[in-house]
Structure formats: structure tokens, C-alpha cells
């Protein structure tokens, strides 16, 4: 289905010299047995929502174009909220998706019964009705897409398998030159691997990590049920693990059980076609009983089929999409996590745009294939994570929820100290990071909640320690690269839009842009005393940054890129007293005149040679120490000992989030992404207009257009609620004088500012977003259906002149 959709959209984009190869027959992998739910409800991602809305629209109109029905029927969806946590979640989702154009309405249990009389609704809290959602026939849909592609000139060849992707070296990366198939070699310069559950093994042949894993996936179909409406809506009750719809005069009961099972971990049989798996009745019976109890008629109806088939899941429930690291022209679209049908149309459009223009037109940071790391390819890792990840499709997404399988993979060199101090550990791109600390000898415990939890007190204490005293934070998970070679300065200066030069001791905060002036990465580049560049990116951007660096050099240029992420711990001492603490451990002069903000020096700390950067992501005087991993523990202990008289505290990721949010520091992949231009997200100050860099022409054109208009017509603004109690997380809709103008991209709680704080992207509907426009409106934020007054600002609300940072 995915391959057919990309081929269809490539053809529509004008690329008709396209060959769609299918090992057996179209749909013979997973697609043939999908339940066919085409539902949009349930995401607070703009990209996912846009993809689903596009799919739904396409499936409704495709038959008129191709003559082949997709079987789309807009029978409607009812999503049941069985408890108050889910109600809160779905209200937030509904408000967000409504803003993006989805028609969705909250309904009562009685109204749910009227729409779907077979469900027991008396114990449900509420429901959400999406009248435009519906169902398709996945096989017909695939054939319709393939037919549409063929009509425009695409060749679809069945019974031919791709055995390998052929590449040649070009500079530091490879590029696609063809594919080896069971029927011979085919030349091509772009290849898309959309081989479903086989994608991992095909990608591995090219050295790529695509850790999608097939899992058992179930539905049951009952015998005929008297009087059932063939056009009745789809009913979903995630708390009962089930979805329900009419099928052949009976009911289909689909399942997302909380403990699932991986299938065929070592590799997928090459000849598995139109295959089914032996159902595991013993494992599934308790879940099945819970699901069937929601629609009691299913308990008496008799079972016509208990179906089990394989579907691919990834470790984080997001698909593997995009151009592969290190291989130009090798694209991926696999690991659909049970939503391949409802994603296929939109994803096909996104990929076709990406392939034909060289860049995506939606935020791809959440599903970028470059996020995967080598350890995720391990059989044990995939087997363990798959048991849990399938169930998260239907789990409540209450803040604080954690994944428990496949943990402790990457440990910071000071991990034991994080544990000993009662750190609440959570997964940070495979690393274990401490969210907050319960204190030495205390076990950190936290129940997921949408409200204020007991541990907010620890969070506040850590936040205030950094604002008023000093805190120590382990951020060893940050991605770190040493970049050298004769052309390093030339290449980095071209790659980065900021003023990167080989000037000893200088730290440059900069973005990497695409040709269109959109942000691809947000990094710091330092030139160290040794005469090399040191590049730091966030953990989520690790693989993408490595790939950007490798691709940056021309064929004749000499550039070396060494990933030193695990070789160096990163220990941050931050807060107004940080200089006093660090000075007690080093003979180096830390006074501002000798060691100003945004400079880096190699200094001795507690007798160990470390790279010390005077920089902050928290908005205070502070230092980041890059420490040899094998010396990290002794330095960590020495800092805590030296800081004891200053009240130093270990500080976790919750405080990191609240501190940086008060200062409105950006976080790529959370509040800024690849669709943003620096000028619209408040990063124009970081651009060096006096030099050439990738994306400059497009950025300059935008700058001139902004100057003519007065300001950009959409901008990232900082926002703060007036009242201290409501909490912001993400995706809350922002109103200006009663009109929805955008949504909160990321948020936290501002312990110093006194209420929830966020970064929101707002648009003035064609008018310039100026300080006057902000000041002349009244602002509100919708939190789960209630609007709360707010303040907005283009400048950071905390320390707008950065006086504290430069102190
Ligand atoms: C029980 C069940 C119910 C589901 N219900 C829904 C639903 O209601 N809604 C929804 O959105 N999703 C649903 N899904 C998920 C959906 O079916 C999948 O996400 C989707 O079909 C995946 O499509 P695909 O194209 O990625 O994979 P596939 O359909 O497996 O396609 C991959 C194709 O690649 C071919 N291939 C493999 N290797 C090679 C090679 N080397 N060379 C050439 N060809 C190759 C295979 O033969 C196969 O046809 C369900 C899944 C299951 C199992």
C-alpha cells in the first residue's frame, strides 16, 4: 500500500519513470488483511493529522480518477473515553484536530448508545464523534493507487524481488545507482524501500538501521448478528483494548492488547505471502474477554474467524520515513505501527514531494529514519520493545507515562550517581536521564497525571537552585562530534548560517539550513584550543547531525567527522553561584574578562583536563564541561563536594525544560522544526549575513519580503498563562481576541514566572506579526475545553537582555 501510494504521488508530481517492484503480488504482505479503519482522530501532531486528513480525502475521490473503488465509506467514528484521564486527553486532541480542520464533537454516553446501540455505555465518561471518518477496503485501495500510477505511466511489476540496493561512493557518503533484483539489475538514482516487515533486513544489507519488527496483530469476526447496520459507525474503546465495526453481517472486534508478542524476530520468511499466523488463544483470551464485554452481543454471537496477521512496529511507534543516513537517494517508508492504511495517502504525498524536490514540506522530525541507532537493530531489543509498544496505541497518553521494556541500553558515565540520588529515570533517545531527584536514599515514584503531582515540589526546588544558587546536570546524552580536516572551516562556514570561524575559544550558536532557508539542525560549534571544531547537537538530532556533517563536504574537500558522544560525559554547572563552585576546582581564571560568555577553554578541573564551555541552555551564568567518560565520576563527585557549601543540587530534565522555556530557548524537534525559517522563530539574530551559506538566497528573499511587509506573517512567540494553576503540555490552541491563531508547540511550568509557559506558533492571517499586533489583542489558551487568559511576547519573558547569562 505504501509503495503504491508513493508511486501514485510521484506520477502526479510528474515523475513517471518509476518502477514499482513487488516480490509476489500487490498486497501480499500485510496490507491484504488490514481492518481498513480510515480514522483521523487521536493525534496531537500537525503532520500526522494532515497526513490522515489528506488520506481520507484522497480515498473518497480516487475512484472517480482511476475507475477502481477504494471501498471508502464515511460511516463515522466514535471514540469512547472510559475515564477522566482519557477524557482530558481526548478533549485536548479534539480541540487541536478541530483547529486543523477535523470535524469532531464530544457526545454523551446516551448519544453514543444512539449511534452504536450494541455498546455498553453506562460506565463510559463521554465519547468523541467524527462523522467524516470511516472504512476502506485495503486491497481495493492499493489496486486503485497502483492503477492511478499506471495510468500516468508508472510500471508495476509483480513477481520480482529487490535483492540489494546498488550504490557508489561519492565523497564521504554513497549514492544510489540501481537495484539488484531477482530478474536482473535496474539502474536508478532514487530507491524507496517500502517493503513493510521486510524493510529492516533489506535496509541492513546497506548498513542501515530500520528497527521495525513484525508483531502478532488480531481481530475477531463474529457470526451474523441479527439486525446489524452495515453502515453503522466504527466504535473504539481503547480502555477495553477494542475497536468494533460491522463485517459481513457480524461484528469485527479488533484488538490492541497491552502485552503483545513479536513474530519471527530473527527474520521474516521471504516466501510469506497472504499469510496468517497461528492465534495464541491463551495469551489473548483475557484481552478478548475485556474487549467483547464492551459490546456484549459479541459474547453470544459465535466466532467466525479469529484472525492473526503480522504488522510492523517500531520502538517508538513512529514510522521510519525519509532519506537514509549516508546514502543519497535511498528513501524509506516502513514500520507503519498499525496505521498504514490511514497513513498511506498522506505519506505517499509527503514522500513524493520530498523525493522530487529534495525536501519535505511537513515537520518530519518525529519520524525521520535517521533517529534510529545501531543498538535498536538487536533481536533482543526489538523482541522486548515490541511486546509493549503495540499496546501503547490504545493506552492513555497521560503525562509521565513511561516505556519499561528495552531500557538501560545507554548509561551515562555518572549513571550510578543519578540512581543513588533518587533520580526518576526516563528514556532519552536510548539513554537513561534523570527527570528529577527524590534525594539520596529515596526512591523516585511518580504516577502519570495531567495535574500537579507531588514531585512538582522537587522540580520547583531544582529549578530555583539554578535560578538562585547552583545546580549540576548530567547531559551526557547530547550528541558530540569532533570535526577536522584541511577544509573543516570552509565546510562548516558554508553548512552553518551562523558566524562559524576557526577562532580559538569561540562558540557559535547556529542553525543548519536547507536550500530553501528552512532549519535542518540547531547546534553549537566551538573551535577548541587544540585547533579543531567541536559540534554539539541534541540527542534526538544525533543521527541527522552526523549525516548532515558527512554530506556537507564536496568530493574534493577534506573533512573528518568523529562521533565522540560516548567518549565524553557532559556535566553542566549552572546558576549564579556556578563560577564560585567551579573556581574552587580549577586554577583557570573564570572571571568574565578572562572567560566571557560563549567562549570555550581547555582547563583542569579537579586535576582532570576538560573542555569547558561558558554557555547555558537554562538562562543563567553557567558552564558545560565535556569530560573524558572514564573520569566523569570523580569530577561529578568533586563538583558536588565543592558545591556543598553553596547548596548545589543535582538537577533533572524537568528543570531543564522549565528553565529553558522561561528563557524561550528553542528546542529543535519540539518547538522548531524543518518547516521553520529562522526569521519566523526568533533566530534571525544567529544568522551571519556577511558570508555565503547554504540557504542564504532563500533566507535573504524572505528577509526582504518581511521588511517590505513590516514583519513575518507567522511567528513563534513565548506565552504565559495568567493563572498559576492550569498546565500546558503541547498542542493547546491559542486565541487572539477570540480567534484561533495557532497552537502551543512545547510548554512547561515557569516556576520563576509563576505559571505555565510555552512557545506557540501563531499566524496573523496575512498581516505582520509585530509587537503591536501582539499587544493589541487579548490572548487566551484552550486547555481541554476551557480558555485561560495569557500574555504573549516576542522577547524572552525571563531576563530579556541576557544580563544574567553574561554576568
Ligand atoms: C490485523 C491487522 C489490522 C490492521 N488494520 C488496520 C486499519 O484498520 N487501519 C490502518 O491504517 N492500518 C491497519 N493495519 C496496518 C496496515 O495493514 C499496515 O500498516 C499496512 O498494510 C502496511 O503497508 P506496507 O505497504 O508498509 O506493507 P506491506 O503491505 O507488507 O507491503 C510491503 C510489500 O513489499 C513486498 N516486498 C517485501 N520485500 C520485497 C522485496 N525485497 N522486493 C520487492 N517487494 C518486496 C511485500 O511482498 C509486500 O507486498 C492493520 C494490520 C493488521 C495486521
Amino acid at each position: 500500500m505504501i509503495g503504491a501510494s508513493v508511486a501514485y504521488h510521484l506520477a502526479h508530481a510528474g515523475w513517471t519513470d518509476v518502477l514499482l517492484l513487488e516480490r509476489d503480488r500487490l498486497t501480499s504482505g500485510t496490507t491484504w488483511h488490514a481492518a481498513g479503519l480510515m480514522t483521523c482522530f487521536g493525534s496531537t501532531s500537525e503532520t500526522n493529522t494532515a497526513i490522515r486528513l489528506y488520506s481520507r480525502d484522497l480515498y473518497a475521490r480516487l475512484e472517480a480518477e482511476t475507475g477502481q473503488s477504494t471501498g471508502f465509506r464515511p460511516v463515522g467514528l466514535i471514540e469512547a473515553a472510559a475515564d477522566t484521564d482519557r477524557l482530558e486527553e481526548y478533549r485536548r486532541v479534539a480541540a487541536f484536530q478541530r483547529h486543523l480542520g477535523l470535524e469532531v464533537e464530544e457526545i454523551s454516553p446516551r448519544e453514543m448508545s444512539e449511534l452504536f446501540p450494541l455498546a455498553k455505555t453506562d460506565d463510559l465518561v463521554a465519547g468523541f464523534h467524527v462523522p467524516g471518518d470511516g472504512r476502506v477496503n485495503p486491497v481495493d485501495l492499493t489496486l486503485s493507487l497502483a492503477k492511478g500510477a499506471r495510468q500516468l505511466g508508472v510500471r508495476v511489476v509483480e513477481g520480482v524481488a529487490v535483492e540489494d540496493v546498488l550504490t557508489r561512493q561519492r565523497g564521504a557518503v554513497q549514492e544510489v545507482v540501481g537495484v539488484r533484483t531477482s530478474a536482473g539489475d535496474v539502474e536508478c538514482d532514487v530507491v524507496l524501500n517500502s517493503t513493510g516487515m521486510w524493510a529492516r533486513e533489506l535496509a541492513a544489507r546497506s548498513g542501515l538501521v530500520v528497527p521495525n519488527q513484525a508483531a502478532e496483530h488480531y481481530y475477531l469476526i463474529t457470526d451474523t448478528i441479527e439486525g446489524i447496520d452495515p453502515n453503522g459507525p466504527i466504535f473504539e474503546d481503547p480502555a477495553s483494548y477494542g475497536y468494533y465495526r460491522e463485517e459481513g453481517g457480524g461484528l469485527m472486534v479488533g484488538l490492541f492488547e497491552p502485552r503483545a508478542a513479536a513474530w519471527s524476530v530473527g527474520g521474516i520468511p521471504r516466501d510469506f505471502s497472504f499469510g496468517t499466523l497461528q492465534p495464541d488463544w491463551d495469551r489473548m483470551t483475557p484481552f478478548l474477554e475485556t474487549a467483547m464485554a464492551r459490546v456484549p452481543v459479541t459474547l453470544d454471537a459465535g466466532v467466525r474467524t479469529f484472525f492473526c496477521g503480522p504488522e510492523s512496529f517500531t520502538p517508538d511507534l513512529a514510522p521510519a520515513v525519509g532519506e537514509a543516513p549516508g546514502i543519497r537517494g535511498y528513501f524509506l517508508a516502513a514500520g507503519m505501527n498499525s496505521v498504514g492504511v490511514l497513513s498511506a495517502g498522506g505519506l505517499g504525498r509527503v514522500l513524493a514531494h520530498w523525493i522530487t524536490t529534495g525536501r519535505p514540506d511537513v515537520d518530519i522530525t518525529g519520524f525521520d529514519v535517521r533517529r534510529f541507532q545501531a543498538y535498536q537493530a538487536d533481536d533482543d531489543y526489538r523482541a522486548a520493545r515490541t511486546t509493549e509498544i503495540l499496546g501503547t496505541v490504545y493506552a492513555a497518553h497521560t503525562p509521565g507515562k513511561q516505556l519499561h521494556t528495552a531500557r538501560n541500553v545507554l548509561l551515562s558515565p555518572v549513571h550510578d550517581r543519578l540512581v543513588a540520588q533518587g533520580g526518576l529515570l526516563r528514556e532519552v533517545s536510548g539513554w537513561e536521564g534523570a527527570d528529577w531527584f527524590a534525594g539520596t536514599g529515596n526512591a523516585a515514584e511518580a504516577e502519570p497525571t495531567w495535574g500537579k503531582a507531588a514531585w512538582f515540589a522537587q522540580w520547583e526546588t531544582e529549578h530555583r537552585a539554578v535560578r538562585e544558587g547552583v545546580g549540576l546536570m548530567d547531559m551526557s546524552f547530547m550528541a558530540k562530534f569532533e570535526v577536522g580536516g584541511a577544509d573543516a572551516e570552509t565546510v562548516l562556514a558554508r553548512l552553518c548560517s551562523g558566524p562559524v570561524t576557526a577562532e580559538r575559544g569561540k562558540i557559535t550558536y547556529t542553525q543548519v539550513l536547507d536550500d530553501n532557508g528552512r532549519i535542518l539542525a540547531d547546534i553549537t560549534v566551538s573551535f577548541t584550543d587544540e585547533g579543531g571544531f567541536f559540534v554539539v547537537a541534541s540527542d534526538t538530532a544525533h543521527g541527522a547531525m552526523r549525516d548532515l556533517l558527512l554530506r556537507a563536504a564536496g568530493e574534493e574537500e577534506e573533512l573528518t567527522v568523529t562521533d565522540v558522544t560516548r567518549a565524553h560525559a557532559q556535566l553542566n554547572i549552572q546558576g549564579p553561584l556556578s563560577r564560585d563552585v567551579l573556581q574552587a576546582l580549577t586554577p583557570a581564571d573564570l572571571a568574565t574578562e578572562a572567560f566571557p560568555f560563549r567562549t570555550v577553554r581547555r582547563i583542569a578541573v579537579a586535576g582532570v583536563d576538560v573542555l569547558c564551555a561558558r554557555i547555558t541552555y537554562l538562562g543563567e551564568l553557567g558552564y558545560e564541561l565535556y569530560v573524558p567518560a572514564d573520569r566523569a565520576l570523580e569530577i561529578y563527585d568533586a563538583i558536588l563536594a565543592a558545591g556543598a557549601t553553596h547548596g548545589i543540587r543535582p538537577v533533572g530534565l524537568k528543570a531543564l525544560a522549565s528553565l529553558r522555556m522561561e528563557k524561550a530557548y528553542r528546542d529543535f524537534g519540539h518547538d522548531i522544526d524543518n518547516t521553520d525559517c529562522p526569521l519566523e522563530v526568533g533566530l534571525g539574530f544567529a544568522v551571519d549575513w556577511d558570508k555565503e551559506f547554504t540557504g542564504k538566497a532563500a533566507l535573504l528573499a524572505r528577509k526582504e519580503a518581511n521588511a517590505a511587509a513590516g514583519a513575518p506573517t507567522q511567528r513563534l512567540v513565548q506565552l504565559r498563562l495568567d493563572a498559576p494553576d492550569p498546565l500546558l503540555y503541547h498542542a493547546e490552541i491559542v486565541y487572539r481576541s477570540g480567534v484561533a491563531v495557532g497552537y502551543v508547540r512545547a510548554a512547561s511550568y515557569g516556576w520563576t514566572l509563576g505559571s505555565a509557559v510555552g512557545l506557540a506558533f501563531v499566524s496573523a492571517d496575512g498581516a505582520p506579526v509585530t509587537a503591536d499586533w501582539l499587544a493589541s489583542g487579548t490572548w487566551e489558551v484552550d486547555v481541554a475545553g476551557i480558555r485561560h487568559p495569557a500574555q504573549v511576547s516576542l522577547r524572552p519573558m525571563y531576563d530579556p537582555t541576557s544580563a544574567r547569562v553574561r554576568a
Side-chain angles (χ1 to χ4, degrees):
M1 171 170 292
I2 302 297
S5 180
V6 177
Y8 169 87
H9 286 93
L10 282 171
H12 269 279
W15 278 33
T16 52
D17 187 10
V18 173
L19 176 62
L20 178 62
L21 289 174
E22 164 57 51
R23 169 196 63 116
D24 190 331
R25 274 189 292 145
L26 291 181
T27 78
S28 61
T30 293
T31 295
W32 71 275
H33 57 238
L37 271 53
M38 176 51 254
T39 52
C40 295
F41 185 74
S43 177
T44 53
S45 146
E46 185 173 340
T47 299
N48 283 343
T49 303
I51 281 176
R52 293 170 185 202
L53 284 167
Y54 176 89
S55 294
R56 200 178 75 176
D57 177 63
L58 175 71
Y59 303 167
R61 62 180 160 82
L62 201 57
E63 182 177 359
E65 176 188 337
T66 67
Q68 159 76 51
S69 165
T70 64
F72 179 68
R73 283 191 283 148
V75 293
L77 165 77
I78 301 157
E79 185 88 0
D83 51 55
T84 49
D85 269 3
R86 285 178 200 268
L87 181 62
E88 170 97 15
E89 177 184 339
Y90 299 163
R91 279 184 174 158
R92 287 168 178 263
V93 168
F96 177 73
Q97 294 198 300
R98 214 175 273 130
H99 176 64
L100 296 181
L102 182 70
E103 185 187 346
V104 46
E105 175 195 20
E106 183 174 331
I107 57 175
S108 67
R110 193 179 49 77
E111 289 168 307
M112 274 193 273
S113 284
E114 286 165 9
L115 288 165
F116 194 83
L118 299 175
K120 180 174 151 347
T121 60
D122 54 351
D123 58 341
L124 296 173
V125 183
F128 291 80
H129 183 218
V130 187
D133 277 355
R135 46 193 281 197
V136 290
N137 180 325
V139 172
D140 290 348
L141 169 58
T142 307
L143 298 181
S144 189
L145 287 164
K147 191 172 173 195
R150 265 199 214 95
Q151 284 170 346
L152 292 171
V154 169
R155 276 174 299 156
V156 181
V157 177
E158 294 179 301
V160 174
V162 173
E163 288 163 357
D164 218 342
V165 174
L166 308 174
T167 61
R168 71 165 166 237
Q169 197 70 29
R170 197 175 127 207
V173 295
Q174 294 169 45
E175 67 182 7
V176 169
V177 293
V179 287
R180 176 142 303 148
T181 79
S182 51
D185 291 357
V186 184
E187 279 180 23
C188 64
D189 45 18
V190 174
V191 63
L192 171 77
N193 174 352
S194 57
T195 58
M197 60 189 158
W198 291 270
R200 177 180 68 83
E201 291 163 82
L202 183 58
R205 262 173 257 161
S206 300
L208 301 172
V209 178
V210 182
N212 65 331
Q213 172 58 49
E216 296 176 7
H217 197 27
Y218 289 87
Y219 54 70
L220 173 148
I221 298 171
T222 71
D223 283 331
T224 304
I225 295 172
E226 207 54 39
I228 199 157
D229 179 1
N231 288 315
I234 300 158
F235 187 84
E236 285 191 1
D237 176 22
S240 298
Y241 320 127
Y243 62 84
Y244 315 82
R245 68 161 177 79
E246 183 276 342
E247 176 66 34
L251 266 183
M252 172 186 276
V253 182
L255 289 156
F256 283 93
E257 69 277 17
R259 295 288 298 170
W263 176 69
S264 207
V265 173
I268 306 299
R270 285 189 169 212
D271 57 354
F272 186 87
S273 285
F274 298 107
T276 63
L277 309 180
Q278 186 63 33
D280 185 343
W281 279 97
D282 288 346
R283 185 173 73 75
M284 292 304 292
T285 296
F287 310 124
L288 203 48
E289 284 174 355
T290 304
M292 293 171 87
R294 176 56 64 204
V295 183
V297 68
T298 59
L299 292 165
D300 303 322
V303 176
R304 189 187 304 159
T305 315
F306 187 37
F307 180 86
C308 178
E311 163 65 346
S312 301
F313 287 82
T314 59
D316 57 5
L317 207 66
V321 176
E323 194 172 11
I327 311 182
R328 284 181 208 277
Y330 190 140
F331 283 80
L332 271 137
M336 291 297 137
N337 296 291
S338 78
V339 292
V341 175
L342 58 87
S343 305
L347 210 47
R349 189 206 66 75
V350 167
L351 273 154
H353 180 91
W354 194 339
I355 291 168
T356 56
T357 67
R359 56 181 172 263
D361 60 354
V362 295
D363 168 14
I364 54 92
T365 53
F367 56 55
D368 187 341
V369 65
R370 295 173 300 177
R371 74 191 182 279
F372 293 121
Q373 302 182 57
Y375 71 84
Q376 295 179 299
D378 290 352
D379 285 1
D380 290 348
Y381 175 90
R382 280 182 287 107
R385 180 52 65 83
T386 305
T387 61
E388 187 179 17
I389 204 73
L390 181 149
T392 64
V393 175
Y394 269 13
H397 302 101
T398 314
K401 279 264 169 132
Q402 288 246 34
L403 292 170
H404 299 286
T405 54
R407 292 287 299 267
N408 293 308
V409 183
L410 303 175
L411 299 182
S412 156
V414 300
H415 177 76
D416 290 351
R417 297 297 184 272
L418 306 183
V419 174
Q421 294 172 109
L424 190 281
L425 298 179
R426 75 164 155 94
E427 191 183 331
V428 184
S429 302
W431 295 81
E432 296 292 323
D435 236 3
W436 48 272
F437 292 89
T440 303
N442 299 327
E445 279 164 20
E447 284 297 314
T449 174
W450 286 99
K452 287 192 174 174
W455 56 263
F456 273 37
Q458 273 97 332
W459 176 13
E460 178 177 2
T461 306
E462 292 171 27
H463 177 107
R464 293 196 188 285
V466 173
R467 282 278 178 264
E468 295 152 21
V470 56
L472 174 61
M473 184 177 288
D474 169 39
M475 289 182 68
S476 300
F477 49 78
M478 294 291 280
K480 313 165 200 92
F481 303 92
E482 285 173 359
V483 179
D487 299 304
E489 183 182 8
T490 310
V491 174
L492 285 174
R494 185 175 65 225
L495 179 70
C496 301
S497 51
V500 172
T501 56
E503 182 185 324
R504 274 178 204 235
K506 185 179 169 194
I507 302 175
T508 306
Y509 167 59
T510 180
Q511 284 69 49
V512 174
L513 308 180
D514 67 14
D515 288 344
N516 198 27
R518 307 280 160 173
I519 302 171
L520 295 178
D522 185 57
I523 57 175
T524 57
V525 181
S526 303
F527 194 70
T528 65
D529 291 343
E530 290 82 41
F533 288 97
F534 192 71
V535 174
V536 180
S538 68
D539 55 289
T540 49
H542 192 160
M545 193 59 228
R546 186 172 40 217
D547 189 44
L548 285 169
L549 287 168
L550 290 175
R551 288 177 188 234
E555 274 182 81
E556 304 303 318
E557 287 172 323
E558 189 198 320
L559 186 82
T560 59
V561 178
T562 314
D563 188 339
V564 293
T565 301
R566 295 195 205 178
H568 298 287
Q570 185 186 326
L571 304 178
N572 299 347
I573 314 177
Q574 299 275 320
L577 301 181
S578 57
R579 179 159 38 216
D580 299 346
V581 174
L582 191 58
Q583 193 66 79
L585 294 169
T586 180
D589 183 357
L590 299 182
T592 289
E593 305 73 53
F595 200 159
F597 177 58
R598 287 225 183 107
T599 54
V600 63
R601 306 255 185 284
R602 193 155 278 285
I603 64 172
V605 175
V608 180
D609 189 33
V610 308
L611 190 65
C612 174
R614 186 175 159 189
I615 191 104
T616 180
Y617 190 52
L618 310 181
E620 300 294 339
L621 168 69
Y623 303 86
E624 298 185 348
L625 305 182
Y626 296 90
V627 178
D630 59 350
R631 309 295 300 272
L633 268 180
E634 60 191 277
I635 293 186
Y636 190 87
D637 290 345
I639 294 169
L640 283 184
T645 54
H646 299 285
I648 196 168
R649 302 188 68 93
V651 168
L653 299 165
K654 277 285 164 194
L656 171 82
S658 56
L659 290 157
R660 75 102 181 167
M661 192 55 84
E662 285 187 330
K663 188 73 172 77
Y665 285 148
R666 276 53 170 161
D667 187 5
F668 186 73
H670 289 102
D671 34 70
I672 56 173
D673 62 60
N674 58 284
T675 63
D676 290 322
C677 148
L679 306 176
E680 292 174 347
V681 295
L683 294 175
F685 72 90
V687 178
D688 179 2
W689 295 104
D690 295 332
K691 63 155 193 181
E692 294 307 312
F693 57 86
T694 306
K696 184 177 177 184
L699 197 63
L700 196 57
R702 215 159 292 132
K703 185 183 178 207
E704 285 161 4
N706 291 340
T713 55
Q714 47 182 7
R715 274 175 112 160
L716 195 70
V717 298
Q718 195 185 20
L719 157 162
R720 179 172 84 77
L721 296 186
D722 289 352
D725 286 331
L727 300 178
L728 297 175
Y729 289 97
H730 157 74
E732 295 87 357
I733 304 302
V734 177
Y735 290 83
R736 178 186 180 274
S737 302
V739 177
V741 290
Y743 69 90
V744 174
R745 283 189 173 175
S748 184
Y749 194 82
W751 293 105
T752 307
L753 294 175
S755 59
V757 198
L759 286 166
F761 199 66
V762 299
S763 143
D765 202 16
V769 176
T770 58
D772 281 350
W773 185 78
L774 297 185
S776 61
T778 50
W779 292 81
E780 292 170 305
V781 182
D782 178 327
V783 181
I786 300 172
R787 290 198 198 169
H788 299 276
Q791 309 297 316
V792 291
S793 174
L794 290 172
R795 305 191 71 197
M797 292 176 178
Y798 180 75
D799 190 21
T801 61
S802 289
R804 299 179 67 85
V805 168
R806 294 172 205 283

